[in-house]
Amino acid sequence: MPDAVQQHDVFHYNQAAWDRQARADCEWSRPVDAAGIAEARQGRVLARLTPGPLPAGWLDDARGLDILCLASGGGQQAPLLAAAGARVTVLDASAEQLARDRVVAEREGLELKLEQGDMRDLSRFADASFDCVFHPISNLYVPDVAPVWRKCFRALRSGGRLLASFYNPAAFVADRDSALMEQGLIRPRFSIPYADPAHLSEAELEAKRERGEALVFGHSLTELIGGQAAAGFLIAGFHEAWQPRPRFLIDRYLPAFIATWALKPA
């Protein structure tokens, strides 16, 4: 698998793919409206890791916190956190996604610090720069998630929290043949950890490129949750959420999303 992954410039390929998706007005590139910002200004934390609200206690009050929105551009999470009173920095690979945050900030008079870069490289930030890293579903776009956890740990202050979400690894196992879905059949085809460059045929990869889709990687629970512990975090909260609009048949049978609250010990 590593050789197959190395043959692809994943970062720049996915960067361009997300620029295209943002220009196409995909779901995660639609800026929050003025009503949402007005509600957040009342002190409500409306930013989301999964389709539903954050679990109670995870981030009830953002006022005065330094928050890094990691790989979560698009004009949604960061403006909502800033409106709720946080000092927010956004780091995202896609200039188009960051442009959506800029639009909302200018429209609503919010202060956001926008940074373009790789979620695996937080070297531009000093040690202990943030109280919270908010990292909604995005690490499926990097081949190795371990550097993300390590860099988040370094960038957080003692007692800081990493709020992260990701797809249930089971979502990557099934064959995605539409004919099987129409028959109501789930046929296991792929193993975990999963990687588009390693598991798909050249024809399937070319089809993804033609559709402008990003390359994705299905990390194991050992990498996703055990990796946080290996980086030094303590898992303080765990949450599962169902896909409200199932994309794949398996989404109807198990929660598609997993979220964790990880704590950097004081």
Side-chain angles (χ1 to χ4, degrees):
M1 185 183 301
D3 290 341
V5 171
Q6 290 169 9
Q7 290 172 11
H8 295 76
D9 183 351
V10 174
F11 174 76
H12 290 101
Y13 176 87
N14 281 349
Q15 183 180 58
W18 267 102
D19 282 345
R20 287 191 294 271
Q21 290 186 54
R23 288 192 293 267
D25 190 38
C26 81
E27 180 180 3
W28 302 110
S29 303
R30 296 171 191 159
V32 62
D33 61 19
I37 294 295
E39 188 175 358
R41 288 189 194 277
Q42 303 305 309
R44 293 193 59 194
V45 177
L46 302 177
R48 295 188 173 187
L49 292 171
T50 63
L54 288 173
W58 283 36
L59 188 63
D60 295 336
D61 190 350
R63 288 174 295 185
L65 297 182
D66 291 306
I67 297 180
L68 172 62
C69 282
L70 183 59
S72 59
Q76 299 178 6
Q77 318 310 326
L80 287 170
L81 288 167
R87 294 181 292 271
V88 180
T89 299
V90 190
L91 186 140
D92 199 281
S94 167
E96 293 288 345
Q97 284 288 85
L98 291 170
R100 272 66 184 165
D101 289 302
R102 185 176 297 108
V103 165
V104 181
E106 293 175 353
R107 188 190 75 203
E108 302 292 342
L110 298 170
E111 185 173 341
L112 292 176
K113 183 177 180 182
L114 305 179
E115 300 274 353
Q116 187 173 12
D118 190 328
M119 70 180 85
R120 298 165 296 181
D121 180 5
L122 305 185
S123 58
R124 70 189 70 193
F125 305 120
D127 292 357
S129 292
F130 301 101
D131 301 296
C132 176
V133 174
F134 199 84
H135 182 49
I137 297 167
S138 55
N139 61 43
L140 73 161
Y141 300 114
V142 294
D144 182 5
V145 71
V148 178
W149 304 143
R150 291 196 301 267
K151 303 305 173 57
C152 287
F153 190 87
R154 182 191 63 78
L156 279 167
R157 296 173 180 135
S158 295
R161 66 190 66 193
L162 165 64
L163 303 181
S165 59
F166 31 85
Y167 281 109
N168 189 322
F172 294 91
V173 170
D175 194 316
R176 296 155 202 169
D177 186 339
S178 59
L180 291 172
M181 294 182 64
E182 291 171 4
Q183 298 174 63
L185 298 176
I186 299 173
R187 183 174 68 192
R189 176 184 170 191
F190 306 111
S191 59
I192 298 297
Y194 168 84
D196 271 352
H199 286 86
L200 296 183
S201 67
E202 282 302 318
E204 289 168 322
L205 285 170
E206 182 58 31
K208 287 202 76 164
R209 286 190 283 265
E210 290 178 357
R211 294 192 299 268
E213 296 177 0
L215 296 172
V216 300
F217 303 84
H219 306 294
S220 69
L221 291 176
T222 296
E223 295 168 316
L224 291 167
I225 300 176
Q228 295 183 49
F233 286 105
L234 302 176
I235 303 301
F238 181 90
H239 177 69
E240 293 179 299
W242 292 80
Q243 170 63 270
R245 296 179 301 279
R247 294 178 57 209
F248 305 111
L249 190 57
I250 199 168
D251 292 342
R252 302 175 189 174
Y253 298 96
L254 49 75
F257 306 106
I258 294 172
T260 54
W261 164 13
L263 180 69
K264 181 174 180 176

